[in-house]
Amino acid sequence: MSMRDPALNPETRPTRPRRRDGARDREKETRRVEFDILVVARNHTSTDRVLEVLHGLGDHLKPAIKFTIDAGSKFARQLGRRLEEMDAEELPWEEAKSRQWDLIIAAHADSRLGELTGPILVMPHGVGYNRKRLESTGGEQAAVGTSAHELMSNGRVYASLICLSHEEQRARLCEDARGHGIVVGDPVLDRLRAGTLLRRDIRRELGAGRRTVVSISTTWNEYSTLGTRPDVYRRLVAQLPADEYLVLAVFHPNVWFGRSPYEIRHDFRDELDSGLVLVDQTTWQAALIAADIVIGDHGSVTNYGVALDLPVLLAVDGSKEIDERSPLAGLHAALPHLVDGVPFRDQIEEALRDHRPDRWAPFVEQLFAMPGRGLESVVNAARSLIGLPPVSAPPRPRRPDSIKVVRGEPITAHRVVVREQRDDPVSLSIERYPAIVTTREDHPTSILVIRHDEIYPETRDLAEIIVHDEPLSAEEAETWLGESLANWGGALAAAALEGGGCLVRCRDGTRVSARGDPTTAAITAYWQLVRGNPVTTEDFEVS
């Protein structure tokens, strides 16, 4: 069924008389209210999806928009507080039931929605309907959002319209609901594609520079990246050179609110202090736009990464939760995996090198219909239920929200791997790995380099080099270098100077000055020292 179907086309439907609730306090409503809209929030994910489309209703529509919470989700913690922070009005469920609404919008399917009065628009809160969970479908072997258990109440389908991202999903709806389906595409994918114009700005906000940005996503539950391979985050920051890669962790809202943000930050404190960047669940779209490659599972973020034509590696096999009739099943059977036994860096570089544009286009076309028209289609579906004509122009997409992240403390100790490049003249390749998550066994020939503010005694005692990379005056630098070598047992120290350059002092008393980065100068001097060469420095850059 499409928007051209006479049964749904607002131009051919009789206009419903506006319903007014006599219990409303009109004295409070200084502005003119034309329609009463109820948003039913179930959890943070479903709320996010409805907010994606509300702003696009357009054409100077003046609705009263109220919210109510369909209680019972295990992942609704802080949902009421979120509505408060939005300055939205939340109605108790019993009050929402007692009123008549011109439009009810929900991004979840639940038989309790049948208790509400008014036309109901139901939409998915991710990439279509693909995930199987018997707990949600009442034991039916169906994708969440498609079962009779979810879509029917008191023997009838309560939803006036059920949004589908592709026509293929209609056949997977329970039989009674198929006539209620309407293909609208995916407004979130459209927003992501429009937002790619902001890629450079988002990467600048992250401080990514020239680094390769790896976005690793996880959905929730036992078959997710986090549920199956929780060590993959630590291993990524341990195996990827810190100056060449930036790793962003994108967690499903159910991960954040099934536990607590405090617990997550606590669990990942070592990874965060080793350079992992934890992306706030409300700004995952920006993380995807910034990415050079996506590592993930069967969650929506991974599938949006595929649709954005990014290289993708699967960290885990989520096929046990994918509806085998869905195109997603075929896509995930074809996607390459991030496997154990092969260095992660090699696999990532191979995926970047071998990526072919539009490689997964056939699957994307089966998952997402009406590209570029998702928001317009959902808005027009909603307006048709109110009795309004389609919008006069495509709604303006919202910019992706500015990225919000959780970072750890600055890295104060690195294991540094140095390799000679047989160029003419000979140059050095320097790779730095955070010492918190690596050992000398990981990099047997590495040098342990610490910053002046490293306070862990065991790390300080083992370090060969100490660096003060915050610029000092010449006098301060001389004092700090002398005190460091007197009170610490490493080989050499280096200090950045105000105005540029640095000073390097070896334990044998050798002192040299250098232009450029003090860490690189110190490593180069140490490399010469251990080979018995005269310690000299010139211009240095990390390559």
Side-chain angles (χ1 to χ4, degrees), residues 296-315:
D297 48 28
H298 56 297
S300 290
V301 175
T302 308
N303 303 314
Y304 284 127
V306 171
L308 290 179
D309 206 19
L310 291 167
V312 172
L313 292 171
L314 289 179

Side-chain angles (χ1 to χ4, degrees), residues 268-283:
F268 285 88
R269 59 195 183 279
D270 282 351
E271 290 84 351
L272 289 169
D273 288 346
S274 298
L276 181 71
V277 175
L278 189 55
V279 178
D280 185 274
Q281 54 94 17
T282 62
T283 63

Side-chain angles (χ1 to χ4, degrees), residues 2 15 66 82 88 90 103 107 154 277 281 314 326 333 352 355 377 393 443 457 487 503 506 540:
S2 71
T15 301
K66 310 301 181 185
R82 178 180 180 183
E90 179 194 344
L103 176 65
N154 295 321
V277 175
Q281 54 94 17
L314 289 179
S326 163
L352 288 164
H355 180 63
S377 300
H443 304 287
N487 300 315
L503 290 177
C506 303
F540 303 102

Side-chain angles (χ1 to χ4, degrees), residues 133-159:
R133 281 188 51 77
L134 298 182
E135 296 91 337
S136 299
T137 60
E140 294 182 43
Q141 292 289 340
V144 174
T146 67
S147 68
H149 178 77
E150 301 163 283
L151 291 174
M152 299 187 70
S153 177
N154 295 321
R156 67 178 183 87
V157 177
Y158 58 79

Side-chain angles (χ1 to χ4, degrees), residues 463-506:
E464 288 96 345
I465 297 171
I466 187 169
V467 177
H468 200 301
D469 55 7
E470 296 176 2
L472 302 171
S473 68
E475 182 179 354
E476 290 174 324
E478 291 285 2
T479 300
W480 179 82
L481 289 168
E483 291 176 348
S484 296
L485 291 172
N487 300 315
W488 163 77
L492 61 83
L497 295 174
E498 293 175 348
C502 62
L503 290 177
V504 179
R505 182 183 291 184
C506 303

Side-chain angles (χ1 to χ4, degrees), residues 102-136:
D102 296 306
L103 176 65
I104 301 166
I105 307 178
H108 72 286
D110 181 347
S111 61
R112 288 189 75 207
L113 294 174
E115 300 175 10
L116 302 170
T117 303
I120 300 177
L121 180 73
V122 171
M123 64 185 73
H125 54 252
V127 176
Y129 305 97
N130 304 292
R131 190 169 189 158
K132 290 195 305 183
R133 281 188 51 77
L134 298 182
E135 296 91 337
S136 299

Side-chain angles (χ1 to χ4, degrees), residues 383-419:
R383 289 170 64 91
S384 76
L385 294 179
I386 300 175
L388 295 174
V391 290
S392 56
R396 176 173 55 87
R398 291 191 303 124
R399 292 164 56 94
D401 294 330
S402 295
I403 194 162
K404 300 176 185 176
V405 300
V406 175
R407 298 181 189 267
E409 297 294 326
I411 302 175
T412 55
H414 288 94
R415 293 202 171 274
V416 178
V417 177
V418 182
R419 297 183 180 88

Side-chain angles (χ1 to χ4, degrees), residues 15 52 75 96 152 164 195 203 219 222-223 226 249 253 284 290 297 315 352 381 417 433 473 482 510:
T15 301
E52 288 281 356
F75 309 104
M152 299 187 70
L164 311 174
R203 290 175 65 93
T219 185
E222 59 183 313
Y223 301 111
L226 185 57
W284 65 268
D297 48 28
L352 288 164
V417 177
Y433 300 86
S473 68
T510 303

